């Protein structure tokens, strides 16, 4: 078995003939918590979508657990940006979590008692049993994240991809999310997060990919969150890392 959950090899891609990412190569080991950082339009979302086949690379290849995305997709849960979700759709928390079992079984699968038990267990895992009948759009931002992570657990996903999960969360909910992601990693899952929130990176992330259409740097948070690299990513409005681990934003 390959030691990498994700292997990106010289990938170039984009939309409607317009390139967004260029010659991106990256390896994410099994059981790690990784972040993708960079400016808006720098390719974070495009790279995540390339991993699950929503964007087809023009050049290069992507492997999930040593397989093509089409074969490895059932082992992957993708949580898009909040703005891409129709929160008014009349679906309950229970039905969202149960989708995880359908995703695992495929279009022609049939739910069993075991599937219902696993969905119930996922609700318990995130302490949201009491929300089972609630319409998803009526939840807080933090509750919504827990529901979609519960769906990933119900799916028994080995790789979880999150696109800007901190958007709209207050400070408490952000810390709770970081703790949850750490717990999921400790359970053996691989987590990749595209994020603008740099404060939590030094606390719980194993590696960081700095992306601005192409790879600017990758490595441990302390290796990547330097003034030189962050200036290259964010120009003059750049964050830097203090000795305390706090990230501060520098203005021109």
């Amino acid at each position: 078995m390959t030691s990498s959950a994700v292997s990106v090899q010289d990938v170039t891609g984009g939309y409607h003939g317009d390139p967004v990412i260029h010659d991106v190569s990256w390896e994410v080991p099994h059981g790690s918590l990784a972040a993708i950082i960079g400016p808006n339009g720098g390719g974070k979302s495009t790279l995540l979508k390339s991993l699950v086949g929503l964007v087809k690379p023009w050049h290069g290849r992507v492997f999930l657990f040593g397989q093509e995305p089409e074969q490895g997709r059932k082992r992957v849960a993708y949580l898009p940006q909040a703005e891409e979700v129709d929160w008014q759709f009349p679906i309950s928390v229970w039905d969202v979590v149960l989708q995880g079992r359908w995703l695992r079984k495929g279009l022609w699968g049939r739910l069993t008692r075991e599937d219902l038990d696993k969905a119930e267990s996922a609700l318990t895992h995130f302490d949201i049993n009491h929300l089972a009948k609630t319409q998803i759009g009526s939840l807080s931002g933090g509750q919504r994240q827990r529901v979609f992570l519960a769906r990933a657990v119900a799916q028994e996903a080995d790789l979880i991809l999150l696109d800007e999960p901190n958007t709209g969360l207050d400070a408490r909910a952000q810390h709770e999310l970081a703790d949850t992601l750490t717990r999921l990693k400790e359970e053996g899952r691989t987590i990749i997060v595209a994020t603008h929130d740099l404060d939590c990176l030094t606390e719980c992330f194993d590696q960081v990919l700095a992306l601005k259409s192409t790879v600017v740097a990758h490595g441990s948070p302390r290796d990547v969150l330097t003034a030189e690299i962050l200036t290259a990513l964010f120009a003059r409005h750049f964050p830097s890392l203090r000795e305390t681990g706090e990230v501060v934003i520098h203005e021109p």
Side-chain angles (χ1 to χ4, degrees), residues 30-220:
H30 284 284
S32 59
L33 182 50
I36 307 171
I37 65 170
N40 289 332
K44 300 187 299 297
S45 296
T46 301
L47 179 56
L48 285 186
K49 290 176 180 179
S50 297
L51 299 183
V52 289
L54 295 176
V55 173
K56 298 291 185 181
W58 300 348
H59 305 289
R61 303 184 72 181
V62 171
F63 294 96
L64 303 175
F65 308 102
Q67 299 178 306
E68 299 284 349
E70 290 75 14
Q71 284 74 51
R73 191 177 296 162
K74 286 186 179 181
R75 300 176 64 182
V76 182
Y78 170 61
L79 284 66
Q81 293 187 29
E83 63 194 40
E84 297 182 28
V85 178
D86 180 5
W87 299 110
Q88 301 307 312
F89 190 79
I91 188 171
S92 69
V93 167
W94 169 253
D95 287 331
V96 171
V97 175
L98 200 58
Q99 286 177 344
R101 300 308 300 169
W102 285 115
L103 290 168
R104 185 170 182 84
K105 285 179 170 290
L107 182 62
W108 304 110
R110 183 177 179 181
L111 294 183
T112 65
R113 180 71 253 174
E114 180 185 7
D115 295 313
L116 300 178
D117 289 343
K118 286 186 179 296
E120 181 70 29
S121 177
L123 289 172
T124 302
H125 192 284
F126 291 95
D127 193 25
I128 52 175
N129 305 69
H130 61 292
L131 299 174
K133 295 182 179 180
T134 307
Q135 193 269 339
I136 186 70
S138 65
L139 303 178
S140 68
Q143 289 172 330
R144 291 174 180 177
Q145 290 293 355
R146 284 155 60 195
V147 170
F148 281 101
L149 287 170
R151 184 179 70 177
V153 168
Q155 183 186 339
E156 299 179 84
D158 296 310
L159 171 63
I160 302 176
L161 311 176
L162 303 95
D163 196 351
E164 300 292 355
N166 284 325
T167 300
L169 302 187
D170 59 25
R172 178 180 176 181
Q174 290 186 32
H175 285 295
E176 289 176 350
L177 177 60
D179 291 342
T180 298
L181 297 182
T182 299
R183 177 158 53 98
L184 290 170
K185 184 192 81 166
E186 291 171 348
E187 293 170 1
R189 296 178 174 88
T190 305
I191 318 291
I192 300 178
V193 180
T195 183
H196 280 99
D197 178 27
L198 305 187
D199 268 323
C200 67
L201 297 184
T202 57
E203 298 175 7
C204 57
F205 281 77
D206 302 307
Q207 65 157 301
V208 178
L209 174 71
L211 186 67
K212 189 175 182 180
S213 294
T214 191
V215 175
V216 176
H218 62 85
S220 71

